[in-house]
Amino acid sequence: MLTGKHILLIIGGGIAAFKSLDLIRRMRERGAIVTPVLTKAGEEFVTPLSVSALAGSTVYRNLFDLNDEAEMGHIQLSRVSDLVVVAPATADLMGKMASGLANDLASTLLLATDTPVLIAPAMNVRMWQHAATQRNLATLKNDGVGVVGPNDGDMACGEFGPGRMAEPLEIVAAIQTHFSAGPLSGQRILVTSGPTHEPIDPVRYIANRSSGAQGTAIARALSALGAEVVFVTGPADVPPPAGVDIVHVKTAQEMLGAVEATLPVHAAVFAAAVADWRVDCASDRKLKKSKGGLPQLAFVENPDILRHIAQSKKDRPKLVVGFAAETNDVLENATAKRLRKGCDWIVANDVSTGSGVMGGAENTVIVIDEHRTETWPKMTKVEVAKRLAERMAQALA
Ligand SMILES: Cc1cc2nc3c(=O)[nH]c(=O)nc-3n(C[C@H](O)[C@H](O)[C@H](O)COP(=O)(O)O)c2cc1C
């Protein structure tokens, strides 16, 4: 199944484009969400209307289209998917990809994307066998691009040999293999992310500056390694990752309920910045200014979700990873927190004013486990996430 997987499908200008209509249908039957992109030449072989109707989505065609850019900018379009599939991948598209050209929407997306790419080449046998195409193929494979087909067979041009696009079901199988492969396949992993909002009254709440960027990057990195990710998120600034189960919550109490509902899981990463306290008996009416003075807010402690799960007797995940956001004595506080909470690893970061971590794109973390303390160099949150996901994959192997 491809349930919830976002696939960006680029349809190039080849005879085999008609097979991509069936490919769209096959992917959607398996639960994929397909966003189609059609090259100018592709439009000569299939109509935007049929592509759009089958995909149940806008079909993107032009790089310089104000409407498309307003709906979803081309950079965002290249990032929201879990996989980019190019079918048919023309000799021209392969050449552009191999040499980093970006002179239309399809090639710009392919250069701007940071998600894996799978191509299904289709072309005349002589074009396929040409030294230039074979050079481009080698370059693309070396760049980590996945390739399915081409097959041998009779071609529309009357020749016989390699160059026929793989059949839609073969492409679907390659897509499924892509998603099921990876060191974390078969592992169900919970990730919490974002801040919580604790109500004062119907219009006011207590929050914190967590953007959700680090938790989102971790969920994406775990999913990319093949994990089945359940993502429990507070009201975050960044959009949630694609291809994972998403549960939206607002308060710490709701987050605990959602976390418990996901158990059992093989591992859990608690990256959410959960409010320690909430207002006792939040008002169900908006608090009014009064001459009598300022409102008196009484606080009660919120549930400690990390400790609760790390110390639970029933359904404790095999690997529990907590986050420690500290403003001072980072190492000492985080070391003590790991022991106090009972989690396996603590990822500590300095969130003091000036560190730029809260809401920023970079992070400097210390990972503490039972045996050692690792200080990682400053890197982007996406890089922290990838390194953490790989470390988790090793621990869970
Ligand atoms: C009838 C016809 C069929 C074509 N079939 C293919 C094909 O199967 N594979 C290919 O690489 N190019 C094929 N081409 C050439 C491409 O359409 C041409 O290289 C185009 O510039 C590709 O644009 P694109 O890569 O942006 O889609 C065909 C052209 C015509 C006129």
Side-chain angles (χ1 to χ4, degrees), residues 152-363:
D152 281 356
D154 288 321
M155 315 203 60
C157 51
E159 293 185 76
F160 180 90
R164 244 171 96 108
M165 188 170 91
E167 295 306 316
L169 285 179
E170 289 176 86
I171 300 175
V172 165
I175 295 170
Q176 282 175 324
T177 304
H178 166 82
F179 285 118
S180 61
L184 286 173
S185 63
Q187 304 278 351
R188 187 173 145 85
I189 303 185
L190 161 73
V191 178
T192 71
S193 183
T196 61
H197 286 182
E198 308 297 334
I200 296 170
D201 65 17
V203 295
R204 303 181 179 93
Y205 55 82
I206 295 167
N208 59 63
R209 295 183 200 281
S210 166
S211 65
Q214 187 63 83
T216 300
I218 291 168
R220 199 172 275 142
L222 291 167
S223 174
L225 293 187
E228 176 196 341
V229 175
V230 186
F231 185 69
V232 176
T233 178
D237 296 339
V238 299
V244 306
D245 276 352
I246 299 166
V247 185
H248 289 282
V249 297
K250 286 211 168 66
T251 67
Q253 285 175 300
E254 285 171 15
M255 187 171 276
L256 175 62
V259 162
E260 284 180 320
T262 67
L263 300 178
V265 291
H266 296 95
V269 182
F270 294 93
V274 182
D276 289 321
W277 313 281
R278 67 177 182 277
V279 175
D280 193 14
C281 303
S283 172
D284 55 6
R285 290 188 177 188
K286 186 180 168 201
L287 298 178
K288 295 279 185 203
K289 273 188 188 173
S290 70
K291 288 213 177 87
L294 300 171
Q296 300 296 312
L297 299 179
F299 289 93
V300 284
E301 230 173 86
N302 263 332
D304 187 329
I305 302 174
L306 173 59
R307 195 180 62 199
H308 181 77
I309 300 300
Q311 298 187 5
S312 67
K313 299 269 179 297
K314 188 171 164 275
D315 287 339
R316 185 197 190 274
K318 188 174 156 202
L319 179 62
V320 177
V321 182
F323 265 71
E326 304 289 345
T327 53
N328 54 287
D329 304 317
V330 177
L331 185 57
E332 295 74 17
N333 287 342
T335 306
K337 182 171 177 178
R338 192 187 77 79
L339 295 172
R340 199 168 63 246
K341 306 281 177 174
C343 55
D344 301 299
W345 303 354
I346 276 280
V347 181
N349 52 5
D350 181 349
V351 294
S352 53
T353 315
S355 72
V357 169
M358 282 279 187
E362 292 184 320
N363 209 349

Side-chain angles (χ1 to χ4, degrees), residues 10-198:
I10 296 177
I11 304 176
I15 291 280
F18 79 93
K19 288 199 212 170
S20 297
L21 298 179
D22 191 34
L23 175 63
I24 295 174
R25 203 167 60 84
R26 303 290 185 177
M27 290 194 287
R28 291 193 72 204
E29 271 169 9
R30 287 160 180 76
I33 299 145
V34 181
T35 305
V37 172
L38 197 50
T39 66
K40 268 264 159 299
E43 281 182 42
E44 300 290 333
F45 298 89
V46 286
T47 67
L49 185 62
S50 39
V51 172
S52 162
L54 280 164
S57 153
T58 306
V59 51
Y60 294 89
R61 297 186 282 160
N62 297 310
L63 185 55
F64 302 105
D65 185 313
L66 261 185
N67 287 336
D68 285 356
E69 201 62 25
E71 188 187 322
M72 187 178 312
H74 68 277
I75 293 292
Q76 202 195 344
L77 189 57
S78 73
R79 306 278 164 84
V80 290
S81 53
D82 299 304
L83 180 68
V84 179
V85 176
V86 189
T90 57
D92 173 67
L93 274 172
M94 287 177 65
K96 283 182 188 169
M97 287 173 75
S99 37
L101 293 181
N103 62 357
D104 62 3
L105 180 61
S107 51
T108 303
L109 294 178
L110 284 161
L111 197 60
T113 193
D114 56 1
T115 38
V117 178
L118 175 73
I119 61 169
M123 66 200 70
N124 164 274
V125 57
R126 302 273 170 254
M127 288 171 86
W128 175 249
Q129 288 170 338
H130 196 284
T133 306
Q134 290 303 310
R135 241 187 348 260
N136 291 336
L137 179 69
T139 302
L140 294 176
K141 282 186 174 168
N142 199 36
D143 289 346
V145 171
V147 183
V148 50
N151 297 339
D152 281 356
D154 288 321
M155 315 203 60
C157 51
E159 293 185 76
F160 180 90
R164 244 171 96 108
M165 188 170 91
E167 295 306 316
L169 285 179
E170 289 176 86
I171 300 175
V172 165
I175 295 170
Q176 282 175 324
T177 304
H178 166 82
F179 285 118
S180 61
L184 286 173
S185 63
Q187 304 278 351
R188 187 173 145 85
I189 303 185
L190 161 73
V191 178
T192 71
S193 183
T196 61
H197 286 182
E198 308 297 334

Side-chain angles (χ1 to χ4, degrees), residues 353-386:
T353 315
S355 72
V357 169
M358 282 279 187
E362 292 184 320
N363 209 349
T364 309
V365 304
I366 304 172
V367 181
I368 305 164
D369 66 19
E370 191 188 343
H371 305 292
R372 57 188 187 277
T373 297
E374 290 173 13
T375 304
W376 293 359
K378 185 174 187 172
M379 53 181 101
T380 65
K381 289 181 178 175
V382 171
E383 285 163 344
V384 169
K386 284 187 176 158

